[in-house]
Amino acid sequence: MAMREIYASDELRITEDLQDIEPVTFWEQKQKEILTSVVDYNLDTLDSLIKKSTIDLKPKYQRRFRWDDARKSKLIESFFMNVPVPPVFLNEDAYGKYSVIDGKQRLTAVTDFLNDRFIIKGLKVFTELNGKKFSEIPEELQAVITTRPTMRAVIILRQSDPQIKFEVFERLNTGGIKLNAQEIRNSTLTGSLNDLILELSEDKRFHKLLGIKVKSTSPIYKEMKDAELVLRFFAFSDDWHEFRGGIVSTMDKYMSTNRHMSPEKITSLREKFLETIEKVDLIMGDEAFRRWNPETGKWRASVLAALYDIQMITFSYFDRQFLLERKTVIMEELKKLFSDDEFQKSINAAIPSYFIGRIEKFIEKIKGI
């Protein structure tokens, strides 16, 4: 089972108890908490604001970029055709400084196009532009696309309630490409723990083990599965033997409870994760988190979350030198486990007893070497 399959999950929802609030009163309160301004920018101005970092396309609560060149091209064609484009939503972080709440994909497509970072493809109306960069289209069309079309920006002013931007983010992203569980955690549970998760999810050694070579084309990276795996290790590494309930709900609870973690604890978690990743790399290398196929005598390509749990949690308990001296035997013992029907069953299910059992089995194997 590939990682995409193992992560089928319900979403975290942050809601308010509105039972005792009269609807009109609630509406009036919310109007006082959010102040907005509306501005229509032409594309040249938007590109300039992004280049000067007046508009931040990468706030920590934003999802990672997902659009491919075909979808970006379709947006550009909409501008040429004067087709209305949905507004973007910006948060005013400071006077004259904004971050994107909704519309990152559209704004990135605009600035990528105007700076020759992709080639137009798949256009149905302006077919003569297919295969061209911005600098390669006629100058008249360059002038048209930079000055004539506008994109409306709804700016949530800094006087608004600090939590409003996250409320807006969650509601705006219920359509289009739906947010997954980690993207929702990233947007609603900001704090020192989330900052650490994002930092470690970009670790080069970690990306190597996950097989992330080009971030822009990796589903694991674009869907924040690397960040979710970092959280997964933190949520289970100390209390895995007491696991009850669901994996997703356990991660939700851990992140919610520890979102504003102390600097000392952050330092400790960072060291633990990086040390464990180093051990996994030294012992497993390119076979880390992959399934061994006894029939073909080969490792499969897909990363499996269950094997990530087993290797990360187990190796975190053992000394680096101890593991290195037993590297060959550890690999052979792990391969043998894939001929064990119970072990195979345990890595294909998220049942608590299986979760605990598969880790116990691997720990006992290493202890017995």
Side-chain angles (χ1 to χ4, degrees):
M1 183 180 294
M3 179 179 289
R4 185 184 299 274
E5 297 168 309
I6 204 75
Y7 272 93
S9 62
D10 54 283
E11 297 182 65
L12 173 66
R13 295 294 183 188
I14 305 295
T15 58
E16 300 174 81
D17 185 358
L18 306 179
Q19 291 181 331
D20 298 326
I21 302 178
E22 197 273 326
V24 174
T25 302
F26 173 74
W27 180 82
E28 290 175 343
Q29 289 174 351
K30 286 300 177 187
Q31 298 311 299
K32 296 175 183 178
E33 293 173 3
I34 181 168
L35 299 172
T36 63
S37 175
V38 177
V39 181
D40 290 328
Y41 293 113
N42 64 34
L43 302 193
D44 190 55
T45 301
L46 280 174
D47 180 50
S48 176
L49 293 173
I50 293 168
K51 282 180 177 176
K52 293 187 294 186
S53 297
T54 299
I55 296 177
D56 179 12
L57 293 184
K58 298 180 180 179
K60 290 178 179 177
Y61 54 81
Q62 260 286 2
R63 65 169 59 174
R64 288 169 176 167
F65 190 72
R66 288 197 186 185
W67 280 14
D68 57 19
D69 288 353
R71 190 162 183 182
K72 288 188 280 188
S73 298
K74 189 174 181 179
L75 175 70
I76 299 304
E77 187 173 42
S78 295
F79 287 124
F80 277 120
M81 295 172 62
N82 291 319
V83 173
V85 172
V88 298
F89 285 75
L90 307 177
N91 180 71
E92 185 182 43
D93 300 321
Y95 291 122
K97 291 289 185 179
Y98 310 101
S99 57
V100 180
I101 295 177
D102 181 68
K104 174 182 177 179
Q105 320 295 336
R106 277 163 277 154
L107 291 174
T108 303
V110 167
T111 193
D112 279 355
F113 175 63
L114 296 184
N115 292 279
D116 279 355
R117 287 195 283 266
F118 74 92
I119 296 172
I120 297 174
K121 60 188 294 187
L123 300 193
K124 303 297 184 182
V125 178
F126 288 81
T127 55
E128 68 275 13
L129 300 183
N130 286 326
K132 292 183 171 63
K133 297 179 180 178
F134 172 76
S135 63
E136 296 170 340
I137 68 176
E139 290 185 4
E140 294 85 352
L141 288 181
Q142 290 183 24
V144 167
I145 197 69
T146 54
T147 59
R148 187 172 180 180
T150 60
M151 184 180 290
R152 175 156 293 186
V154 179
I155 303 171
I156 298 177
L157 301 178
R158 65 194 303 268
Q159 296 95 327
S160 301
D161 185 297
Q163 295 301 316
I164 285 294
K165 64 181 176 182
F166 302 117
E167 293 281 350
V168 172
F169 180 92
E170 185 177 2
R171 283 160 173 74
L172 288 173
N173 282 274
T174 56
I177 301 175
K178 194 174 182 180
L179 288 173
N180 62 40
Q182 188 60 30
E183 288 171 327
I184 291 177
R185 296 183 193 110
N186 180 57
S187 66
T188 60
L189 295 175
T190 56
S192 58
L193 175 59
N194 191 56
D195 290 348
L196 176 65
I197 289 169
L198 292 176
E199 172 199 327
L200 295 175
S201 72
E202 298 276 358
D203 180 73
K204 291 182 179 179
R205 190 192 296 260
F206 186 43
H207 274 193
K208 180 179 77 74
L209 294 179
L210 295 179
I212 299 174
K213 296 179 180 178
V214 181
K215 292 191 288 189
S216 61
T217 60
S218 169
I220 293 177
Y221 181 81
K222 291 193 292 182
E223 297 171 16
M224 299 191 79
K225 296 305 182 186
D226 50 353
E228 187 164 51
L229 285 173
V230 176
L231 171 61
R232 191 173 174 117
F233 177 66
F234 291 159
F236 293 105
S237 60
D238 290 334
D239 302 319
W240 60 271
H241 50 285
E242 297 177 2
F243 172 57
R244 300 289 184 275
I247 288 176
V248 173
S249 60
T250 299
M251 290 193 292
D252 290 344
K253 182 179 179 180
Y254 180 89
M255 193 159 179
S256 178
T257 303
N258 297 285
R259 60 185 296 190
H260 300 300
M261 191 173 278
S262 69
E264 295 77 17
K265 182 63 175 174
I266 289 292
T267 298
S268 176
L269 283 183
R270 179 187 290 109
E271 291 175 353
K272 182 178 182 179
F273 180 84
L274 292 176
E275 288 173 2
T276 304
I277 282 295
E278 181 188 20
K279 293 174 189 176
V280 173
D281 188 25
L282 289 172
I283 304 306
M284 301 298 304
D286 293 340
E287 282 72 50
F289 320 138
R290 273 95 175 157
R291 187 197 300 263
W292 172 256
N293 187 333
E295 295 179 0
T296 63
K298 295 180 180 179
W299 296 92
R300 294 184 181 177
S302 299
V303 169
L304 192 63
L307 294 174
Y308 170 85
D309 295 334
I310 292 169
Q311 292 169 23
M312 289 289 289
I313 292 174
T314 299
F315 289 171
S316 71
Y317 282 99
F318 293 94
D319 177 75
R320 178 178 179 274
Q321 191 59 37
F322 173 91
L323 293 170
L324 271 175
E325 291 171 356
R326 295 157 179 79
K327 175 178 178 177
T328 303
V329 184
I330 290 172
M331 293 289 282
E332 290 305 314
E333 290 298 323
L334 180 59
K335 289 178 181 178
K336 290 177 184 177
L337 285 175
F338 288 99
S339 297
D340 183 326
D341 290 340
E342 281 301 309
F343 181 77
Q344 288 277 30
K345 188 185 298 183
S346 75
I347 62 175
N348 291 327
I351 300 171
S353 59
Y354 285 164
F355 179 91
I356 295 169
R358 64 196 182 213
I359 297 172
E360 285 181 337
K361 185 163 285 192
F362 193 44
I363 289 176
E364 289 305 315
K365 281 282 186 183
I366 294 183
K367 280 183 178 179
I369 296 173

